[in-house]
Amino acid sequence: MEKLKPKLFSVMKTYTKEQFIKDVVAGIIVAIIALPLSIALALASGVGPEQGIYTAIVAGFLISFFGGSRVQIAGPTAAFATIVAGIVAQKGMDGLIVATILAGIILVVMGFLRLGNLIKYIPYTITTGFTAGIAVTIAIGQIKDFLGLTYPAGTQTIETMEKAEAVVKNITTINVQALIVGLVCLAILILWPYVNKTIPGSLIAVIVGIVIVKFLHMDVNTIGDLYEISNKLPSFHMPHVTFGDIGGLLPDAFTIAILAAIESLLSCVVADSMINSKHRSNMELIAQGIGNVGSALFGGIPATGAIARTAANIKNGGRTPIAGMVHAVTLVLILVVLMPYAALIPMPCIAAILFMVAYNMCGWRTFVNLCKSSPKSDIIVLVTTFILTVVFDLVVAIEVGILLAAILFMKRMSDVTEVEGWKYVDEEDDPDSIALREVPAHTRVYEISGPMFFAAADKILNISIKDDTQFLILRMRSVSAIDATAMHSLEQLYEKYAKKNVQIILSHVNEQPKAVMDKAGFTREVGQENFCAHIDEALERAKKLASKDK
């Protein structure tokens, strides 16, 4: 069973001075990458710029310290932006803090219950659909700042569709200077990786954006124009909360928890493949829970493992949780020394950074490929989840997506479950009849294939026999599992034919179905002697019983 032990405690047994130097360098580089992203994601989430830094510091340190991965870097991510913005707009910062704390507790409980592996049961189509949907909502939310639009007082822009409508209605208020700054920053973000892969393009875009606006005296909103900037260290804050508040925030908390679990474990899997390691999924969930509780109590927002920052950590030599902890400490120094200068960052620059974040996370190639190559049921789940994420919100999208996937999965399983009667050598002149065994007189044989569960249970009751049938053989070699509903249908079948003095004989019943039958008392009713290991034995059993009756 997987250990509930932080990776930090395991890797320190063989830690070296050389690796410490590599971890420090990697941690500093990742902190530089995380700085503009944390600010941008905080603003996209409807909170102050420093709260993104708080999240990266507190959650980043705690998740690295307690985590189940050697190299995971945690902090604010784009996946949370829309749901956080919705909670803040409707329930305020205290509501967000409570929802995040609840999500953290749920994650810790999931870890202790060893539910880390259950995340794999969420279909890939759902994660792809809502990830693409989140990317679209982020992009729509940044059009206003990228174009420098002005909205009339009282314009409500909480939901994505409200933001899109406001953009269309106010497109004539476009600020050309803001658009120029945005396009320059976007061009830098696109082209810079071809020039230098060490220094993050987002940092260069921020510097260039500040220089253009400051020295050309452009009429463009900056962070300082819209937000108060603080370089204070995170401080403890316990929100005032009632039981009624908790009940209303539980759906949001579960969404945050599930999203954090999916994204962090996905990031761990990607990291494992890059360093040939294996993470501890349950310990990672516990660490994510601790990190989110800590982040909420110290002024941050929800956090999870960030794939891009984790990959950057690995590429720069980070191999232990020390790198993630150094990244958090470095951000503390940046917060205290450089945070006031964040007021100079132009809003179109932030929008450009978030456009790139949205593009990188949308996975449009995967989305298109799934639409081309997947079964219709998977395409329905994918597109439905995507549309619901954009039009409504992530909570609705995940709930409906999982429900729809479950229903369609059951439909597929029901379609592959078959109950077919054997063809008889004395009944039909069929070319396949030569290969069939000779069935004794007054005997019917049905072969059941596929799982017997509630969606396919009615097929059992469709089994029919002739008036002179005395023995019904059910061949179950291809039945891997049976549930309570199908078991009930089987009992009904037995009772129906027991009244007609028809003896049921079962052939090749697998382990799980046999255990269910034993527990339900069905084995006792039918008689253990009527459970045969092979079809030949079942046919012989029917022949012997028939001879006894004569």
Side-chain angles (χ1 to χ4, degrees):
M1 187 175 284
E2 183 186 287
K3 295 179 182 177
L4 288 180
K5 178 182 179 182
K7 274 285 188 179
L8 176 65
F9 301 163
S10 298
V11 301
M12 293 309 292
K13 296 176 183 176
T14 57
Y15 200 57
T16 63
K17 180 181 177 182
E18 291 76 13
Q19 187 55 54
F20 174 72
I21 293 172
K22 291 179 181 178
D23 285 338
V24 169
V25 172
I28 293 172
I29 292 173
V30 172
I32 294 170
I33 295 171
L35 176 64
L37 285 176
S38 297
I39 292 173
L41 291 169
L43 296 179
S45 301
V47 298
E50 69 277 1
Q51 287 169 300
I53 308 293
Y54 293 167
T55 307
I57 292 171
V58 179
F61 187 91
L62 291 174
I63 291 172
S64 290
F65 187 89
F66 291 103
S69 169
R70 297 171 65 99
V71 291
Q72 179 89 286
I73 301 294
T77 63
F80 288 121
T82 52
I83 189 169
V84 169
I87 296 171
V88 171
Q90 294 172 10
K91 296 162 187 175
M93 271 306 298
D94 277 5
L96 175 63
I97 292 171
V98 174
T100 307
I101 291 173
L102 290 173
I105 294 170
I106 292 168
L107 284 164
V108 171
V109 171
M110 287 172 65
F112 277 115
L113 292 178
R114 300 182 185 276
L115 300 179
N117 290 328
L118 291 183
I119 300 302
K120 67 184 179 184
Y121 293 110
I122 295 180
Y124 183 56
T125 47
I126 290 180
T127 57
T128 303
F130 75 61
T131 301
I134 290 169
V136 171
T137 61
I138 289 172
I140 290 174
Q142 298 310 306
I143 294 174
K144 175 181 182 292
D145 288 329
F146 191 80
L147 300 179
L149 303 180
T150 303
Y151 293 169
T155 302
Q156 187 170 337
T157 55
I158 298 174
E159 303 295 337
T160 303
M161 290 297 99
E162 292 174 344
K163 293 175 183 177
E165 184 182 356
V167 168
V168 173
K169 286 182 176 179
N170 299 282
I171 194 68
T172 54
T173 64
I174 186 171
N175 180 341
V176 176
Q177 294 184 8
L179 177 59
I180 291 171
V181 173
L183 289 173
V184 169
C185 292
L186 189 59
I188 292 171
L189 291 166
I190 295 170
L191 300 174
W192 184 256
Y194 298 102
V195 178
N196 188 304
K197 294 184 181 296
T198 304
I199 303 172
S202 55
L203 185 63
I204 302 301
V206 165
I207 294 171
V208 171
I210 291 173
V211 170
I212 291 175
V213 172
K214 186 73 174 174
F215 291 97
L216 295 182
H217 305 289
M218 301 182 81
D219 182 22
V220 176
N221 281 334
T222 64
I223 292 178
D225 294 331
L226 304 178
Y227 301 92
E228 290 184 12
I229 302 294
S230 171
N231 64 344
K232 294 179 181 177
L233 292 174
S235 58
F236 182 85
H237 171 66
M238 176 62 76
H240 174 71
V241 60
T242 65
F243 282 110
D245 296 332
I246 292 175
L249 289 165
L250 269 177
D252 293 322
F254 272 105
T255 302
I256 293 171
I258 295 298
L259 201 54
I262 293 172
E263 193 166 359
S264 64
L265 295 181
L266 179 61
S267 177
C268 285
V269 170
V270 173
D272 285 350
S273 65
M274 295 177 72
I275 62 172
N276 194 27
S277 180
K278 185 171 177 61
H279 71 281
R280 295 168 184 162
S281 57
N282 295 313
M283 192 65 234
E284 183 64 25
L285 290 182
I286 293 172
Q288 291 291 331
I290 294 171
N292 273 280
V293 171
S295 175
L297 291 175
F298 284 88
I301 58 179
T304 187
I307 296 176
R309 276 160 270 175
T310 298
N313 178 38
I314 294 169
K315 290 176 182 177
N316 286 286
R319 289 296 181 275
T320 77
I322 296 295
M325 295 158 68
V326 169
H327 138 267
V329 172
T330 304
L331 284 173
V332 171
L333 300 176
I334 292 173
L335 172 69
V336 173
V337 177
L338 299 178
M339 196 60 186
Y341 297 102
L344 301 175
I345 301 175
M347 293 305 294
C349 179
I350 293 294
I353 292 172
L354 288 170
F355 278 155
M356 286 302 297
V357 169
Y359 177 80
N360 290 331
M361 77 177 291
C362 74
W364 67 269
R365 291 183 180 85
T366 302
F367 193 99
V368 171
N369 185 54
L370 283 173
C371 288
K372 288 180 178 179
S373 61
S374 300
K376 288 182 180 178
S377 57
D378 287 333
I379 296 173
I380 291 171
V381 173
L382 173 71
V383 174
T384 300
T385 307
F386 170 75
I387 292 173
L388 290 176
T389 302
V390 176
V391 176
F392 295 99
D393 58 44
L394 200 56
V395 178
V396 174
I398 291 178
E399 289 174 350
V400 174
I402 291 176
L403 181 62
L404 188 59
I407 292 171
L408 291 172
F409 172 76
M410 290 185 287
K411 173 68 168 58
R412 284 201 298 269
M413 290 299 98
S414 174
D415 290 342
V416 301
T417 300
E418 296 180 348
V419 180
E420 293 184 335
W422 272 22
K423 295 174 182 177
Y424 295 87
V425 294
D426 58 348
E427 289 184 349
E428 294 183 35
D429 183 17
D430 192 290
D432 294 331
S433 64
I434 300 171
L436 298 177
R437 294 170 174 81
E438 187 176 349
V439 178
H442 310 296
T443 302
R444 298 285 290 180
V445 180
Y446 273 85
E447 180 142 6
I448 304 175
S449 303
M452 293 173 65
F453 69 117
F454 61 88
D458 62 316
K459 294 183 179 182
I460 299 169
L461 296 176
N462 290 334
I463 292 174
S464 61
I465 61 174
K466 293 187 175 182
D467 293 337
D468 63 345
T469 301
Q470 297 175 1
F471 305 100
L472 173 61
I473 298 176
L474 300 179
R475 193 182 193 191
M476 300 179 65
R477 60 177 179 166
S478 299
V479 178
S480 57
I482 184 171
D483 72 357
T485 306
M487 186 67 247
H488 178 64
S489 294
L490 204 54
E491 288 172 335
Q492 286 181 298
L493 183 76
Y494 174 76
E495 291 170 3
K496 174 183 175 181
Y497 289 126
K499 293 175 182 177
K500 298 180 180 181
N501 295 318
V502 176
Q503 177 62 56
I504 290 182
I505 301 170
L506 295 100
S507 162
H508 200 146
V509 180
N510 289 305
E511 185 178 352
Q512 193 273 351
K514 183 62 165 62
V516 173
M517 291 176 186
D518 290 345
K519 191 173 182 181
F522 185 73
T523 304
R524 186 176 62 255
E525 282 189 63
V526 176
Q528 182 64 52
E529 66 277 8
N530 291 312
F531 281 77
C532 303
H534 193 269
I535 186 61
D536 291 335
E537 186 182 330
L539 293 169
E540 188 61 31
R541 171 73 178 162
K543 193 178 293 185
K544 283 182 180 179
L545 290 174
S547 63
K548 282 182 182 180
D549 292 340
K550 289 181 179 179

